[in-house]
Amino acid sequence: FDKYIADFEKKGKVGNAGIYRNSKNTFQRFRKRLFLNQVTVDFLNEYEAHMRKAGKKINYIGLTLRNLRTIYNMAIALGLAKQSEYPFSQKKSDKKYVIKSEQTKKKALTKEQLSKLKLYEPKTPAQLKAYKFWWFALHAYGINMTDICHLKYKNIVGNKIIIERIKTENTTISSKPIRILITPEIQSCIDNYGNQDKTPDAYVFDILKHGWNAKKQRDMVQSLTRNINKHMKKISEDLGFDSHISTNW
């Protein structure tokens, strides 16, 4: 785990590093000293049962186990583990451990709820900022806050924003640039919170700074996302919605 985490950090992929670090800590809380030869089918079943009893969701459990499987595969490639002792299922009949998952459904807002939300008047400057950024994301095809925070003025071309997603720009995956029409809601957010420096390489929003490392950038994006979710939760409660609104809708 430590080697894999260090490799991610060296590449500036602090999000991935954080995910694997969290998985490592989860396994260490279950068993303080864990060696690869102890990762058996029985161990994996015991771990799943323990996590379920602790109230963890099946998809979270699956995430940690997929990360452990990645580490195990890496160990086999390095000659540190034996393929013959591989505990994860590779076909239906092998009677090894199957990593489980379940489908989750996002509850879409109704037209009535969107209408109520549109008429809502934020009560504080912080709530207004969260409200404006939430509408920006909605009208920008649901791009995440990382993409929004990394927007630069050179991405604004006429009446459109043209970007490549942060998740795919450093991979071998071929992806077409996203073209986003600048709606009144998007323009309003830029007008209210846009950076005064409008040179091409300047960030549209004064959230990130040039020269910051990947961890600092991620921390700032997460801080913004938490604030948006906090205030949108309060707005959804004010409007009497049966579920809370967030950056995930």
Side-chain angles (χ1 to χ4, degrees):
F1 266 103
D2 289 336
K3 183 182 184 306
Y4 211 60
I5 291 166
D7 286 345
F8 275 131
E9 290 177 335
K10 187 176 180 180
K11 295 173 183 176
K13 296 183 177 181
V14 293
N16 297 79
I19 290 169
Y20 275 83
R21 185 178 293 107
N22 179 68
S23 295
K24 173 193 168 187
N25 292 340
T26 300
F27 288 113
Q28 284 187 325
R29 283 194 291 271
F30 177 62
R31 185 168 295 179
K32 193 168 184 179
R33 291 178 63 81
L34 178 63
F35 299 94
L36 282 172
N37 61 4
Q38 296 174 319
V39 180
T40 63
V41 174
D42 286 342
F43 167 83
L44 297 172
N45 282 316
E46 288 170 12
Y47 171 78
E48 180 190 328
H50 167 78
M51 295 295 278
R52 281 176 177 268
K53 188 175 180 180
K56 300 300 182 182
K57 300 288 186 183
I58 193 65
N59 284 342
Y60 174 77
I61 299 169
L63 171 65
T64 61
L65 287 167
R66 285 193 298 275
N67 291 342
L68 178 60
R69 183 177 62 188
T70 297
I71 299 302
Y72 204 110
N73 289 338
M74 184 176 72
I76 290 174
L78 294 172
L80 302 175
K82 297 178 181 179
Q83 182 68 50
S84 60
E85 297 176 356
Y86 196 65
F88 298 97
S89 179
Q90 294 177 293
K91 56 184 179 180
K92 289 183 179 180
S93 60
D94 62 12
K95 296 183 180 180
K96 294 188 178 182
Y97 181 81
V98 177
I99 297 176
K100 302 170 185 66
S101 64
E102 60 185 2
Q103 287 188 332
T104 57
K105 294 182 179 179
K106 289 185 178 181
K107 190 172 181 181
L109 293 172
T110 64
K111 288 183 179 180
E112 182 183 359
Q113 287 175 319
L114 281 171
S115 295
K116 286 183 178 180
L117 192 56
K118 193 78 173 175
L119 295 172
Y120 185 82
E121 294 186 8
K123 296 178 173 60
T124 66
Q127 199 177 73
L128 176 63
K129 183 176 181 179
Y131 181 81
K132 294 279 188 184
F133 272 93
W134 188 88
W135 279 107
F136 184 111
L138 182 69
H139 282 263
Y141 306 134
I143 63 172
N144 60 37
M145 288 300 143
T146 298
D147 291 314
I148 291 173
C149 291
H150 280 86
L151 284 176
K152 295 181 178 179
Y153 276 103
K154 65 184 178 184
N155 296 123
I156 299 177
V157 182
N159 66 342
K160 291 183 174 66
I161 295 171
I162 302 175
I163 64 166
E164 184 176 345
R165 299 294 302 277
I166 296 298
K167 281 188 176 181
T168 59
E169 68 175 4
N170 294 320
T171 72
T172 57
I173 299 171
S174 177
S175 62
K176 293 182 179 179
I178 299 174
R179 297 174 181 272
I180 300 163
L181 179 68
I182 298 177
T183 63
E185 290 79 6
I186 289 175
Q187 189 61 57
S188 176
C189 189
I190 294 173
D191 290 344
N192 279 273
Y193 306 106
N195 207 327
Q196 294 302 307
D197 178 3
K198 292 180 171 54
T199 53
D201 207 42
Y203 290 113
V204 173
F205 299 109
D206 191 20
I207 298 165
L208 304 181
K209 304 289 185 186
H210 289 288
W212 281 358
N213 61 30
K215 183 179 184 305
K216 177 67 173 176
Q217 289 184 348
R218 180 169 175 265
D219 288 346
M220 292 304 294
V221 173
Q222 287 184 333
S223 176
L224 174 67
T225 304
R226 282 193 299 269
N227 278 317
I228 292 171
N229 289 340
K230 179 181 73 173
H231 290 294
M232 292 308 294
K233 177 182 177 182
K234 180 65 171 65
I235 289 172
S236 61
E237 289 172 350
D238 289 348
L239 292 172
F241 292 171
D242 57 1
S243 58
H244 294 149
I245 305 168
S246 74
T247 51
N248 292 321
W249 319 128

